[in-house]
Amino acid sequence: YVSGDDRLTRKAIQVFDDSRFSEGLTMSRYPSAVPQVIPPYSLFWVDMVHDYWMLRDDPAFVREKLNGVKSVLDWFIDRIDPKTGLLGEVPYWNFVDWADEWQWDSEKGSGGVPKGGYEGQSAVLSLHLAYSAKHAAELFGHFQKESDREYYQSIADKMILSVSENCKDPKTGYLADTPEKDSFSMHAQIFGILTGAIPVDRQKEMVEKIRKDDSLIQATMYFRFYLTRALQQTGLADQYLETLDLWHDMLKIGLTTFAEKPDPARSDCHAWSASPNYDLLSVVAGIQSAAPGFKKVLVEPALGHLKKIKGQVPHPDGTISFELERKGKNGLSGFVELPENLTGIFKWNGKEIQLRGQTKITF
């Protein structure tokens, strides 16, 4: 999306697929002399395939990955606890984020694991399965595999219902990390919003609430990517620039690359903290794929406190260029230029403009 060169992306998706071992999961790094298995990363691989499907018109490559998608999801589905409908005990290292409360456990040799991540009944892991299963349903539906689409959508729906029934706290309205309701994280609320476990009419209120509630286990750089998706989903993308405090902290201590986590950090150059490279274009400039293969474009800027933006986004058919400037409190002017034969929609404050070629923007 940022560079226009999909070769490293294709290689990553392919190598993770190649890494799947006898149980069906991908390795978390591969090839590697020391095997390492982080089951949530296998779910993120499913999400990667979905992302690639939306950004590149490469159906043959995506179709090749569908068996791997099923292999990963079925491994998790086999571990659903029939009593609660939540994920039961999931082996290996169930890393979610480097939250302060999820400290490294020397005996287990792992850290960043939410409550329920070792013994089972984790709302976060259960909702992550639902999130990826919904993506899989979209993929199978596109490739006319209707029985698979219905199956994985039903898994997502049942998991969402089980989390809501078992983990919703009537006092706070939050989704607890487990049915015991004694641990609460931003992560559970974020996946609750993205999956619909938190009802649509409460999602915007919930995003605003969790951003102000320091009593929740906080999301660090790794998981802020999904906080941003929740902001977009609830119409609060204008607040995105306010969520970059952890990145400003890195600049203050002299870093020129993105660290793995807030100090003390083990790695001062870590890819998973690089989400602003994507979000400045996809959220602030608002340039998003609106159809598989990036065959249609949605441009929905969220400038926040910025007065003017200008830039380019590479597209499989050429370059998307934009220059936009605020006019007064709610006005906007400028242009968006799409490659030939590409069409799209520009949205601003509830109004729309059809995009083709170079389109003048005036609101």
Side-chain angles (χ1 to χ4, degrees):
Y1 176 90
V2 175
S3 72
D5 187 342
D6 62 18
R7 288 175 295 176
L8 280 176
T9 303
R10 284 172 54 91
K11 181 181 179 182
I13 292 171
Q14 183 62 56
V15 171
F16 279 123
D17 193 29
D18 293 343
S19 79
R20 284 187 294 116
F21 58 105
S22 58
E23 293 183 27
L25 287 182
T26 62
M27 295 285 185
S28 63
R29 58 188 183 209
Y30 183 85
S32 172
V34 179
Q36 186 186 69
V37 182
I38 302 179
Y41 285 13
S42 294
L43 292 177
F44 283 132
W45 178 77
V46 174
D47 303 329
M48 287 168 64
V49 174
H50 184 275
D51 287 346
Y52 184 82
W53 168 64
M54 289 297 294
L55 291 170
R56 280 295 183 271
D57 186 18
D58 195 357
F61 180 79
V62 175
R63 185 188 290 271
E64 289 174 358
K65 305 298 170 278
L66 295 183
N67 283 338
V69 167
K70 293 175 68 172
S71 173
V72 165
L73 292 177
D74 290 351
W75 184 90
F76 281 90
I77 292 167
D78 284 345
R79 286 157 178 80
I80 293 175
D81 184 342
K83 295 180 180 178
T84 63
L86 304 174
L87 273 176
E89 184 176 357
V90 179
Y92 304 113
W93 181 11
N94 288 297
F95 176 84
V96 169
D97 194 7
W98 284 129
D100 290 340
E101 292 82 355
W102 301 337
Q103 289 291 319
W104 185 265
D105 187 319
S106 297
E107 290 186 9
K108 293 183 172 68
S110 61
V113 179
K115 185 169 184 188
Y118 293 114
E119 65 277 9
Q121 314 303 319
S122 166
V124 177
L125 295 181
S126 296
L127 288 175
H128 191 176
L129 172 57
Y131 181 72
S132 300
K134 291 177 76 169
H135 281 158
E138 291 181 18
L139 287 168
F140 287 114
H142 178 80
F143 288 99
Q144 299 180 328
K145 296 179 179 292
E146 188 60 23
S147 61
D148 289 323
R149 185 201 68 79
E150 291 179 355
Y151 175 65
Y152 290 111
Q153 185 62 52
S154 72
I155 292 295
D157 293 342
K158 291 174 184 176
M159 186 62 69
I160 290 165
L161 182 61
S162 295
V163 170
S164 181
E165 290 179 344
N166 287 279
C167 300
K168 184 177 179 180
D169 180 51
K171 296 179 181 178
T172 63
Y174 285 144
L175 296 174
D177 291 337
T178 64
E180 284 79 12
K181 301 183 178 67
D182 57 2
S183 174
F184 297 87
S185 65
M186 289 183 73
H187 309 72
Q189 317 320 312
I190 290 168
F191 267 146
I193 290 162
L194 295 179
T195 59
I198 293 173
V200 173
D201 61 355
R202 291 190 56 243
Q203 290 179 2
K204 183 175 182 179
E205 167 199 346
M206 183 61 74
V207 172
E208 294 178 317
K209 183 178 179 181
I210 65 175
R211 286 201 54 221
K212 300 174 184 176
D213 191 348
D214 293 336
S215 71
L216 292 173
I217 296 171
Q218 299 292 297
T220 73
M221 284 87 96
Y222 178 68
F223 213 85
R224 292 283 182 100
F225 179 87
Y226 297 95
L227 172 61
T228 304
R229 309 284 76 76
L231 289 172
Q232 283 186 299
Q233 183 169 304
T234 55
L236 295 172
D238 262 333
Q239 297 181 15
Y240 167 70
L241 294 172
E242 301 170 16
T243 69
L244 296 178
D245 54 301
L246 297 179
W247 284 267
H248 287 296
D249 290 344
M250 287 186 258
L251 292 173
K252 290 176 184 176
I253 62 174
L255 288 178
T256 56
T257 54
F258 295 125
E260 178 180 8
K261 60 188 284 292
D263 269 347
R266 181 181 64 83
S267 167
D268 286 345
C269 184
H270 212 85
W272 72 33
S273 297
S275 56
N277 290 330
Y278 169 71
D279 290 328
L280 289 172
L281 294 172
S282 67
V283 178
V284 179
I287 297 172
Q288 304 159 48
S289 171
F294 219 157
K295 291 184 178 180
K296 293 183 180 179
V297 176
L298 169 64
V299 182
E300 190 170 10
L303 273 62
H305 63 264
L306 299 178
K307 303 298 183 184
K308 184 177 181 179
I309 60 172
K310 178 182 179 180
Q312 295 180 328
V313 173
H315 184 277
D317 294 335
T319 300
I320 300 171
S321 301
F322 61 89
E323 186 169 352
L324 301 167
E325 185 174 3
R326 285 187 180 276
K327 295 296 180 183
K329 185 177 181 181
N330 297 312
L332 191 71
S333 66
F335 74 87
V336 173
E337 184 171 3
L338 303 183
E340 188 178 358
N341 300 323
L342 184 65
T343 61
I345 296 175
F346 189 100
K347 292 186 177 182
W348 179 259
N349 287 338
K351 299 178 181 179
E352 295 184 0
I353 293 177
Q354 297 295 317
L355 297 174
R356 181 184 289 274
Q358 186 178 100
T359 304
K360 183 178 180 181
I361 304 299
T362 304
F363 288 99

